């Protein structure tokens, strides 16, 4: 199981990826897993995470950047399939000050309402 090779045993999203904590699946392949956010901030709000444990965008390097590229292909595909053509936002919080509460890289995909800028 290649997706289980780089796992943090104490990580919430590693447990969700492994199916040890239930989640509402949106999409899955060998590299990534997408599931609905438990506390949605928009009518559409799901998270896309790599199956391997990567701490945040700050830990992306030559050894794992292909995973991030793949995730953005998946986001484009899902946005088309889910009809998010009116617009959507992709957010990844990095570190405590930016509001990262789960230290496993994840991309929020938010849609279905008007968005404001700058973000809070
Ligand atoms: P962050 O705050 O790190 O940017 O995003 C973490 C996100 O994970 C939050 O939006 C939060 O609602 C979501 N979350 C936290 N715990 C769980 C959980 O157990 N299941 C699901 N589906 N989402 C979770
Ligand atoms: Zn993890």
């Amino acid at each position: 199981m290649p997706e289980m090779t780089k796992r943090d045993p104490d990580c919430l999203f590693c447990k969700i990826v492994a199916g040890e904590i239930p989640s509402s699946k949106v999409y899955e392949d060998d590299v990534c897993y997408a599931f609905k956010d438990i506390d949605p901030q928009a009518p559409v709000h799901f998270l896309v995470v790599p199956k391997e444990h990567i701490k945040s965008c700050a830990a992306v390097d030559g050894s794992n950047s292909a995973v991030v590229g793949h995730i953005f292909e998946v986001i484009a595909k899902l946005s088309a399939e889910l009809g998010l053509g009116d617009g959507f936002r992709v957010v990844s919080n990095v570190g405590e000050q930016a509001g990262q509460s789960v230290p496993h890289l994840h991309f929020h995909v938010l849609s279905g309402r008007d968005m404001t800028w700058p973000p809070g």
Side-chain angles (χ1 to χ4, degrees), residues 2-115:
E3 67 270 21
M4 301 299 289
T5 50
K6 294 178 188 168
R7 175 179 175 169
D8 178 337
D10 299 321
C11 171
L12 174 66
F13 286 174
C14 283
K15 289 178 185 163
I16 285 180
V17 165
E20 293 163 12
I21 292 174
S23 62
S24 181
K25 178 163 94 171
V26 174
Y27 173 86
E28 180 174 21
D29 62 29
D30 286 347
V31 173
C32 68
Y33 183 65
F35 56 103
K36 290 185 182 172
D37 197 291
I38 204 168
D39 182 21
Q41 302 301 313
V44 175
H45 185 180
F46 60 89
L47 305 172
V48 190
V49 308
K51 286 192 166 177
E52 73 175 81
H53 183 83
I54 300 169
K55 193 173 171 191
S56 75
C57 286
V60 175
D61 60 21
S63 75
N64 57 26
S65 58
V67 171
V68 178
H70 175 80
I71 284 174
F72 273 83
E73 283 186 48
V74 166
I75 289 172
K77 186 167 106 85
L78 290 176
S79 71
E81 284 176 8
L82 297 172
L84 310 185
D86 286 344
F88 63 94
R89 185 171 286 178
V90 181
V91 175
S92 190
N93 298 317
V94 181
E96 209 172 312
Q97 191 174 28
Q100 184 178 11
S101 59
V102 181
H104 178 128
L105 177 63
H106 51 282
F107 296 94
H108 297 259
V109 179
L110 301 132
S111 188
R113 66 165 170 81
D114 293 340
M115 304 279 168

